[in-house]
Amino acid sequence: MERFLFLSIASLRIEIMPVTMLRQNCMLIWDQGLKKGIVSDPGGDLPLIIQAIEADDIEIQAILLTHGHFDHVGVTTALQHYLQDKYQKEIPILGPSQEDQFLLDKVQQDVLNFGTKIDNAQNVKPTRFLNDKEKLSFDGINLEVLHVPGHTPGHIVFYEPKARFMITGDVLFKGTIGRADFAYGNEGLLIKTIKEKLLPLGDDIYVLPGHGIGSTIGFERLNNPFLI
């Protein structure tokens, strides 16, 4: 599994680590001067995530979750335990929205059902669920929470207004949107919410998706067949 530095914006650095057989983008985001940051969607490959944190000498302040699918949250609990042992203090798991609790409660079963292998996969109990329009502040990182259901009921997006990027999980990808063919999915709602909440934020915003390469809101507005 590779690690690669994806981009540097202002004082922030973002490193993306594709994890699990589904190549889910776990992200390590930190302030370069303060050397403090967050981890988003640690779905698997715990040793790789720990290696990145140690190599970059980052103090992790929180683990953020966009939604409850196992490939995004698989090793969240194990990572929290590792970080709490390392720092000897609580490291909160924040998100997603409460509607995804039913997915967090069956992570281990979903891993087995999918037929994949994720070492240290465990069900997840967030320290706190997050709400639409909530604001999170860490050292050097300020995020706004946007509830964007449709892929899962409790899916949220993290938006950094100053650095002009967003972590979209499985809501928005380059040229497409997230699957909505689950029993709990709703494609119409997903498209409506993307148009109402994400597109108005500005064409310059960089989209950091849960799988694959990045994009911009402007590109998706003009080229995404689901949004035209």
Side-chain angles (χ1 to χ4, degrees), residues 2-215:
E2 73 269 26
R3 297 171 49 209
F4 60 95
L5 183 64
F6 191 73
L7 74 159
S8 183
I9 303 177
S11 65
L12 298 183
R13 186 156 292 191
I14 303 170
E15 185 170 0
I16 296 179
M17 296 161 278
V19 298
T20 82
M21 63 182 291
L22 298 179
R23 313 297 288 158
Q24 189 280 126
N25 289 332
C26 174
M27 301 180 200
L28 174 60
I29 303 174
W30 72 97
D31 183 284
Q32 298 180 74
L34 299 174
K35 304 290 273 186
K36 295 182 179 182
I38 58 94
V39 175
S40 72
D41 286 4
D45 299 300
L46 181 63
L48 177 72
I49 299 171
I50 292 174
Q51 179 188 28
I53 294 169
E54 300 289 351
D56 296 315
D57 192 26
I58 309 304
E59 180 183 338
I60 300 302
Q61 296 183 296
I63 302 169
L64 307 183
L65 303 180
T66 60
H67 65 294
H69 281 158
F70 72 87
D71 58 316
H72 287 254
V73 306
V75 297
T76 298
T77 301
L79 178 61
Q80 181 193 44
H81 291 165
Y82 168 82
L83 293 172
Q84 290 181 159
D85 287 344
K86 176 181 174 65
Y87 303 136
Q88 291 298 297
K89 64 178 182 181
E90 181 184 9
I91 303 299
I93 299 169
L94 303 177
S97 183
Q98 189 167 7
E99 294 89 340
D100 269 13
Q101 180 64 70
F102 75 103
L103 292 170
L104 301 176
D105 287 340
K106 64 187 186 80
V107 171
Q108 290 172 302
Q109 187 60 53
D110 283 347
V111 169
L112 292 174
N113 291 345
F114 193 80
T116 188
K117 177 178 171 57
I118 299 179
D119 291 334
N120 300 297
Q122 299 177 55
N123 297 345
V124 181
K125 183 178 181 180
T127 306
R128 186 166 66 83
F129 290 108
L130 298 177
N131 299 309
D132 188 43
K133 299 181 180 179
E134 186 170 347
K135 295 184 178 181
L136 304 175
S137 294
F138 307 101
D139 290 327
I141 305 172
N142 295 291
L143 299 169
E144 296 182 8
V145 177
L146 300 170
H147 181 213
V148 186
H151 177 67
T152 68
H155 200 303
I156 58 176
V157 166
F158 296 99
Y159 166 53
E160 222 292 358
K162 183 177 180 180
R164 308 297 286 169
F165 69 82
M166 62 174 61
I167 303 168
T168 59
D170 285 356
V171 161
L172 182 62
F173 304 98
K174 186 171 184 178
T176 191
I177 61 173
R179 288 180 57 183
D181 58 341
F182 306 107
Y184 47 80
N186 187 325
E187 184 174 288
L189 178 61
L190 177 57
I191 292 171
K192 179 178 183 289
T193 313
I194 291 172
K195 289 181 175 180
E196 291 180 351
K197 291 188 176 181
L198 304 190
L199 297 191
L201 295 174
D203 287 350
D204 63 315
I205 295 173
Y206 204 87
V207 173
L208 293 165
H211 303 263
I213 63 174
S215 185

